[in-house]
Amino acid sequence: MALGEFELIDRFFRDRGATRTDVVLGIGDDGALLRPPSGADLVAVSDTLVEGVHFPAGSPAESIGHRSLAVNLSDIAAMGATPRWALLSLTLPRVEEAWLAGFARGFGALARAHGVALVGGDTTRGPMTIGVQVLGAVPAGDGLRRSGGRPGDALFVTGTPGDAAAGLALIMAADGSAAGLRSDAPADALEALRRRFLFPTPRIAEGESLRGLASACIDISDGLVGDLGKLAAASACAAVLDVDALPRSAALAAVTPEAALRSMLDGGDDYELLLAVPPAQVARVASMPGLTRIGELRDASTAARVTLRRRAADGTLSETPATGAGFDHFAG
Amino acid sequence: MALGEFELIDRFFRDRGATRTDVVLGIGDDGALLRPPSGADLVAVSDTLVEGVHFPAGSPAESIGHRSLAVNLSDIAAMGATPRWALLSLTLPRVEEAWLAGFARGFGALARAHGVALVGGDTTRGPMTIGVQVLGAVPAGDGLRRSGGRPGDALFVTGTPGDAAAGLALIMAADGSAAGLRSDAPADALEALRRRFLFPTPRIAEGESLRGLASACIDISDGLVGDLGKLAAASACAAVLDVDALPRSAALAAVTPEAALRSMLDGGDDYELLLAVPPAQVARVASMPGLTRIGELRDASTAARVTLRRRAADGTLSETPATGAGFDHFAG
């Protein structure tokens, strides 16, 4: 690299994150020294973004910096934990100072917003690959898992799933001509969806407030139906989604009215939380802002892991497995 | 990928490392839940290996698995810590089961040897990049740093630096014809050097036993002179190396007698520990097996950060800065 590894770290990343008193020794030695809180479990997460796989080549550096941390913070949120420290492994084909400055700005702003100190990592020359690890803490025994759901638990979701996938489709279709996307929609709706992909919001506060209330939790990175399937499987349950209850953003409805449901059910990159809540806690969770009740867990003896349920015009409920056929059946 | 990410993790990496009672929840959720020891500081390290940069393309998968963990354990050792948990971020262009099995074998054997549990990570499709993070623990306040050395402290090194660089040169020169390498040396010497590159030994036990004794410590990944320069700079000292005292392995002497000193001073990838020891602790450290006294720290007011010192045939000591010219002066 044109700049030495250590100059690069110093120049762009030192003091970029939050300042924390539990960092005994940060960037610059063989390792970081961190003082864990007593009575807490640590939560360790790791996610890697590869150019052209997890984000389009040429994405704004600030977005890449933000997303590389956000996807990890979302995993921390899904465990009900509070983030503390991050490590960054940055592999880059070349040193471009403007790119690094943008990356550091995006990463640093999100880190400071959540009180996360950047305590170490490494830089390497190679194909663009951004590995981030975050360590958080949760009161011992209180970590949320995917596996605690039981039949009869209600399902809730944060935010409005589907927005990020539509935003990515808008970004990929540079001329706005992608099938099902209305490029003549209001500019603020288009921009809102793009930003939902470029700058996702990790639901840290929501995850913290769900400790002791949710029986199971997962973050939606691969699509609502797919990740619900994982939560249900880990909980040895089946799940039913009330399609009419899914929270649809006004922007999504404006930009892609025909494909909104498909995006909500199957679109990735949302980084919302999906959770199961026992009956005794439902009223309390339902009163929290930003959460929508969207279905329930039930006995795993039903044929499909995830079932879509909809009320017809005549008031009758119909159910279809959330597989290819069932999915298409409800599309639109 | 032909195999799904989760099948892949399950098949090759679940239960590969050690089993630890402080792992509350391991691979398979959004994050791992880990119970830290009380009264300890955590040590967090991260190192990424890129094919063609950190190891030759086509290296044995078992070696890549071993090295990706070993370079991180070496950083843990340099902090005087005991490793506990590892995360693995594996980016691969394609799934080759034989390769994955070899990688997991190399990674797993070293993890189990050091009691390290593999608690999480992710797998991604892309250019071969292996990111590993290790978390360890050290009694609170006892972590070794690069910055604690003082003028008058003795310098020690573990093992025999220079072997790995010679081993890599042998591997790169497939026909054994590299300048200064005697491919007609005894086969066990050639093999010993190759193995020192392919399967480096992290000095965990040595690092642990140096807690409270060493004033500063660093691992030698970039060459003895270069890393000594970093330790000296962090300690606001200069350093002098006694060239005649450097521990030279029999294998290195047999394979590259002409370039042995260059390899010892400048060769990378050794992952030995280099440490400073206050006068009051020198006798105790000198009695430890596997450590060699090689010089001392002195006041930073001397011109060079690192000076090479040698005794001539007539008994006089000569000193030369460990820069290009000084280096060449002593080569051979």
Side-chain angles (χ1 to χ4, degrees):
Chain A
M1 291 187 166
L3 273 173
E5 170 176 332
F6 302 96
E7 292 171 62
L8 195 156
I9 292 174
D10 261 2
R11 180 156 168 192
F12 289 104
F13 295 107
R14 195 179 289 268
D15 302 325
R16 272 290 165 168
T19 302
R20 298 185 60 97
T21 58
D22 55 16
V23 177
V24 180
L25 182 66
I27 290 175
D29 213 298
D30 290 288
L33 286 166
L34 310 169
R35 192 146 292 173
S38 58
D41 285 340
L42 294 171
V43 177
V45 305
S46 175
D47 249 322
T48 301
L49 302 187
V50 178
E51 183 181 44
V53 178
H54 299 93
F55 56 87
S59 288
E62 191 164 349
S63 163
I64 300 171
H66 176 102
R67 292 187 78 240
S68 67
L69 180 58
V71 302
N72 281 280
L73 292 179
S74 180
D75 282 328
I76 290 281
M79 303 297 291
T82 305
R84 290 180 167 238
W85 312 298
L87 302 168
L88 169 64
S89 297
L90 197 54
T91 302
L92 296 173
R94 73 199 73 85
V95 169
E96 291 176 10
E97 300 194 17
W99 190 94
L100 277 167
F103 181 94
R105 196 164 55 242
F107 189 101
L110 187 63
R112 290 191 301 278
H114 289 284
V116 175
L118 180 61
V119 299
D122 63 323
T123 55
T124 307
R125 190 183 54 217
M128 188 187 289
T129 308
I130 300 117
V132 174
Q133 298 77 44
V134 176
L135 294 169
V138 63
D142 283 359
L144 300 176
R145 309 176 183 209
R146 299 178 178 179
S147 58
R150 295 291 170 264
D153 287 359
L155 294 170
F156 285 80
V157 71
T158 63
T160 51
D163 293 358
L168 176 59
L170 285 171
I171 291 165
M172 298 297 284
D175 60 355
S177 63
L181 293 173
R182 297 193 177 174
S183 57
D184 59 349
D188 59 349
L190 296 166
E191 181 62 12
L193 296 186
R194 287 192 198 98
R195 285 192 64 84
R196 288 272 287 158
F197 175 79
L198 294 173
F199 296 96
T201 304
R203 302 299 186 183
I204 295 291
E206 290 83 347
E208 290 170 332
S209 65
L210 289 164
R211 292 198 293 248
L213 298 177
S215 57
C217 189
I218 190 172
D219 78 323
I220 310 176
S221 49
D222 297 332
L224 177 58
V225 167
D227 287 321
L228 176 55
K230 290 176 203 160
L231 183 149
S235 296
C237 292
V240 57
L241 271 182
D242 285 315
V243 170
D244 301 312
L246 293 178
R248 181 180 320 211
S249 74
L252 186 68
V255 171
T256 178
E258 295 82 8
L261 180 59
R262 176 179 294 271
S263 199
M264 286 192 290
L265 292 174
D266 210 29
D269 297 310
D270 277 314
Y271 302 103
E272 298 293 349
L273 299 183
L274 172 65
L275 47 135
V277 177
Q281 309 294 353
V282 163
R284 190 153 161 207
V285 172
S287 72
M288 292 179 176
L291 284 160
T292 305
R293 185 172 178 172
I294 59 170
E296 66 199 31
L297 292 179
R298 56 187 185 187
D299 195 276
S301 62
T302 57
R305 183 66 74 184
V306 178
T307 298
L308 304 182
R309 181 165 61 189
R310 204 169 207 181
R311 187 172 298 278
D314 66 0
T316 58
L317 285 173
S318 62
E319 293 193 353
T320 314
T323 55
F327 186 89
D328 289 341
H329 178 70
F330 280 127
Chain B
M1 291 187 169
L3 275 173
E5 170 175 335
F6 301 97
E7 292 172 63
L8 196 156
I9 292 174
D10 260 3
R11 180 156 168 193
F12 289 104
F13 296 107
R14 193 178 291 267
D15 302 324
R16 272 288 165 168
T19 302
R20 298 185 60 96
T21 58
D22 55 15
V23 177
V24 180
L25 182 67
I27 291 175
D29 212 297
D30 290 288
L33 286 166
L34 310 169
R35 192 146 294 172
S38 59
D41 285 340
L42 294 170
V43 177
V45 305
S46 175
D47 248 323
T48 301
L49 302 187
V50 178
E51 183 180 45
V53 178
H54 299 93
F55 56 87
S59 289
E62 192 164 347
S63 163
I64 300 171
H66 177 101
R67 292 187 79 241
S68 66
L69 179 58
V71 302
N72 281 279
L73 291 180
S74 180
D75 283 328
I76 290 281
M79 303 298 290
T82 305
R84 292 180 167 239
W85 311 298
L87 302 169
L88 169 64
S89 297
L90 197 53
T91 302
L92 296 174
R94 72 198 75 84
V95 169
E96 291 176 9
E97 300 195 17
W99 190 95
L100 277 167
F103 181 94
R105 197 164 53 240
F107 189 101
L110 187 63
R112 290 191 301 277
H114 289 285
V116 175
L118 179 62
V119 299
D122 64 323
T123 55
T124 307
R125 190 182 53 218
M128 188 186 289
T129 308
I130 300 116
V132 173
Q133 298 78 42
V134 176
L135 295 168
V138 64
D142 282 358
L144 299 177
R145 309 175 181 210
R146 298 178 180 180
S147 57
R150 295 290 171 264
D153 287 0
L155 294 170
F156 285 81
V157 71
T158 63
T160 51
D163 293 357
L168 176 59
L170 285 171
I171 291 165
M172 298 298 283
D175 59 355
S177 64
L181 294 173
R182 297 194 177 173
S183 57
D184 59 349
D188 58 349
L190 296 167
E191 181 62 12
L193 296 186
R194 287 193 198 98
R195 285 192 64 84
R196 287 273 286 159
F197 175 79
L198 295 172
F199 296 96
T201 304
R203 303 298 186 183
I204 294 292
E206 290 83 348
E208 291 170 331
S209 65
L210 289 165
R211 292 199 293 249
L213 299 176
S215 56
C217 191
I218 189 172
D219 78 324
I220 311 176
S221 49
D222 297 332
L224 176 58
V225 167
D227 287 321
L228 175 55
K230 290 176 201 159
L231 182 150
S235 295
C237 292
V240 57
L241 271 183
D242 285 315
V243 170
D244 302 312
L246 294 178
R248 180 182 319 211
S249 74
L252 187 67
V255 171
T256 179
E258 295 81 8
L261 180 59
R262 176 179 294 272
S263 199
M264 286 191 289
L265 291 174
D266 210 29
D269 297 311
D270 277 314
Y271 303 103
E272 298 293 349
L273 298 183
L274 171 66
L275 46 134
V277 177
Q281 309 294 354
V282 163
R284 190 153 161 206
V285 172
S287 72
M288 293 179 175
L291 284 160
T292 305
R293 186 171 178 171
I294 58 169
E296 66 199 33
L297 292 179
R298 55 189 187 188
D299 196 274
S301 62
T302 57
R305 183 66 75 185
V306 179
T307 297
L308 304 182
R309 182 166 60 190
R310 204 170 207 181
R311 188 171 298 278
D314 66 0
T316 59
L317 285 172
S318 63
E319 294 194 353
T320 314
T323 56
F327 186 88
D328 290 340
H329 178 69
F330 280 126

